[in-house]
Amino acid sequence: MTLPPKSPSRPHKVSLWRYLKLFRADILSAQPARLYRAWMAEFRTPFFRSYLCNQPDLVDLVLKARPDDFPKSARVREGLTPLLGNSVFVTNGAVWKRQRRIIDPAFEGGRLRHVFPAMLEAGEGAVQRLGDLADGQPRDIEAEASHLAADVIFRTLFSIPIENEVAARVFGAFRAHQRTQPVVNLAALIPLPAWMPRPHTRAARRTAGVIRSLILQLTEARMAEVAAGTAPGDLATKIMTTADPETGERFDTGEMVDQVAIFFLAGHETSASALGWALYMLALYPEWQSKVAAEAQAAFGTGRPEFSQMSQLVQTRDVFRETLRLYPPVPMMVREARCPETFRERAIAPGSQIVLSPWHLHRHERIWTAPDAFDPARYATDEGRKCLRDAYIPFSAGQRACPGAGFAMIEGVLLLAMLVRRYRFEPVPGRPAMPVAHLTVRGKDGIWLRITPRD
Ligand code: HEM
């Protein structure tokens, strides 16, 4: 059985300069192979110290047991501020807690039913668009996945499709923004020495400004609709009308712009990455593609999918889960130790960077059986379920876990089922995809597939 693609590891020992160079090219292949076996690894340099933790109880300690003692690193903030301002993704402490109290109710399990029709419409749009591309010619599926995930976010947040003029301009500006600083955001995620230049290039500042002014237009218009009592019942309205249960305050327009920017960025880049890799996995493993197609056919027939049918897509969900294990869209997260700690009998100084790596934890050789194999059936076993509990964090965990996790799991499974119900996806000979970490885990030169109608 051929294994799905995995980034190569770097040689065991390299100089700091070489490491930084490799790191700038791709954070994943800059790491040594031993991280797939280690419970903890210390990186000592003259400038900083960081600890990558793979031991499940350490990961639990940082994310779940004492998260307030391991806040987000200030370095994360640096690269992201021009775009995200004071958004929930970069704040800490009381400010962050207040923001989550207002945001979380919009994503509660029961509300997913309300966003389902908007996801469905985005899926139908994609099924139609792929019709023009389903001629067996090589196609970069990442571009399609990005377009689709952006459509989902605009429809669920603001009840507008990606074809809407402002939505299309935001989407275009995000792409331009990523081109101006493809790895800068990730550079901020890793403890590079403070003096190392992390240019917020002028171009990046300009594109961030364009995005924020477009989002401001959407947010102001919605504030007016809320005031007039004419606002649609989507995510934006829910968030803008939710008062903090502790203080009674709501987000003002400026704060809402910050939050919308992160919803768009976190919600569309990640889902697009996951969908692109899931389709690639189905192309590489056609037996799983047949199962997904059969499951979609059995659940939906030729009709419109309904929310209540989603629970029937058990194997499709396992395919999506397995994709998130092998290609976690957010490959690494960084926290900072506030107090002195002892991890695995080693003293950790305050200010040390604690790196949690879904990428390594999900492929850990001492935790997972056949860690590099694509095997969605593993989740039907007791062992697979135990690993899910102990060593599976594509959405992080604990109080700071992704608020969009439930949303993303419905979205990913629905879109996969809808696309595979209509089309067959095959790999393009001579064009394998290779994962690299940009803002999320993407194909080095895209993800190329051949699409044909299923019947
Ligand atoms: C497959 C899709 C997704 C994946 C894999 C994913 C993963 C993650 C991860 C790992 C984090 C934690 C990052 C950290 O702590 O450094 C996070 C945070 C976040 N995600 Fe997601 N996400 C996905 C989809 C979404 C969606 C659809 C939304 C919103 C519509 C969303 C909104 C957010 C927000 C607002 C945060 C910041 C939470 C906080 O810091 O308190 N995500 N996501």
Side-chain angles (χ1 to χ4, degrees), residues 93-157:
V95 173
W96 170 80
K97 285 195 174 149
R98 170 176 166 278
Q99 291 173 336
R100 285 293 294 244
R101 286 197 298 270
I102 297 177
I103 288 167
D104 285 354
F107 290 95
E108 273 164 11
R111 290 201 50 90
L112 292 175
R113 183 180 291 280
H114 297 290
V115 292
F116 186 79
M119 284 180 185
L120 184 59
E121 281 166 19
E124 288 169 341
V127 167
Q128 211 169 16
R129 278 193 304 276
L130 283 202
D132 293 339
L133 307 179
D135 54 4
Q137 294 304 311
R139 305 286 181 187
D140 181 6
I141 202 73
E142 277 193 341
E144 297 310 313
S146 277
H147 188 134
L148 171 52
D151 198 20
V152 169
I153 283 292
F154 281 116
R155 286 177 190 268
T156 52
L157 253 183

Side-chain angles (χ1 to χ4, degrees), residues 208-231:
V210 171
I211 294 167
R212 288 180 64 86
S213 71
L214 290 166
I215 291 177
L216 179 66
Q217 271 183 42
L218 292 174
T219 309
E220 280 179 338
R222 177 54 58 85
M223 284 281 183
E225 286 175 322
V226 168
T230 55

Side-chain angles (χ1 to χ4, degrees), residues 98 101-102 240-251:
R98 170 176 166 278
R101 286 197 298 270
I102 297 177
M240 285 188 201
T241 55
T242 299
D244 174 2
E246 288 189 11
T247 63
E249 286 168 17
R250 297 182 185 178
F251 284 145

Side-chain angles (χ1 to χ4, degrees), residues 72 88-90 96 100 103 107 153 235 262-263 266-268 270-271 274 320 324 329-330 332-335 393-396 399-405 407-408 411:
K72 274 215 172 168
V88 65
F89 193 79
V90 293
W96 170 80
R100 285 293 294 244
I103 288 167
F107 290 95
I153 283 292
L235 286 175
I262 186 59
F263 288 144
H268 124 269
T270 49
S271 293
F320 195 63
L324 290 175
V330 181
M332 292 183 199
M333 301 174 276
V334 184
R335 300 290 190 265
I393 51 167
F395 297 105
S396 185
Q399 64 177 14
R400 197 141 202 176
C402 174
F407 177 108
E411 176 192 9

Side-chain angles (χ1 to χ4, degrees), residues 264-448:
F264 188 80
L265 186 67
H268 124 269
E269 263 283 319
T270 49
S271 293
S273 155
L275 189 62
W277 285 109
L279 289 170
Y280 191 63
M281 290 299 99
L282 293 181
L284 288 187
Y285 303 97
E287 66 283 11
W288 280 101
Q289 188 169 165
S290 303
K291 288 182 197 186
V292 169
E295 208 172 55
Q297 193 60 38
F300 309 145
T302 51
R304 277 196 109 192
E306 286 173 25
F307 186 71
S308 60
Q309 296 162 336
M310 292 302 292
S311 57
Q312 296 174 41
L313 303 181
V314 176
Q315 301 198 78
T316 312
R317 191 194 57 210
D318 286 344
V319 162
F320 195 63
R321 258 186 190 153
E322 183 70 339
T323 304
L324 290 175
R325 182 181 72 83
L326 288 171
Y327 304 98
V330 181
M332 292 183 199
M333 301 174 276
V334 184
R335 300 290 190 265
E336 201 165 290
R338 251 185 10 169
C339 331
E341 305 281 349
T342 307
F343 282 8
R344 290 186 63 82
E345 297 172 6
R346 250 179 281 181
I348 313 280
S352 298
Q353 307 286 303
I354 309 295
V355 182
L356 306 162
S357 174
W359 180 271
H360 292 98
L361 186 65
H362 291 179
R363 291 176 182 257
H364 204 280
E365 292 161 11
R366 288 147 92 178
I367 298 179
W368 298 86
T369 303
D372 293 331
F374 178 76
D375 178 19
R378 66 173 81 235
Y379 304 111
T381 67
D382 286 345
E383 189 197 313
R385 279 191 286 267
K386 182 172 173 353
C387 289
L388 265 188
R389 285 192 301 274
D390 292 350
Y392 185 79
I393 51 167
F395 297 105
S396 185
Q399 64 177 14
R400 197 141 202 176
C402 174
F407 177 108
M409 286 305 293
I410 291 278
E411 176 192 9
V413 174
L414 173 69
L415 299 178
L416 214 48
M418 287 178 80
L419 295 178
V420 172
R421 180 172 65 159
R422 280 292 288 278
Y423 302 108
R424 201 180 296 280
F425 296 87
E426 289 167 280
V428 177
R431 272 194 145 160
M434 181 51 70
V436 292
H438 286 163
L439 191 53
T440 53
V441 173
R442 291 307 183 102
K444 187 162 181 281
D445 302 303
I447 296 180
W448 291 83

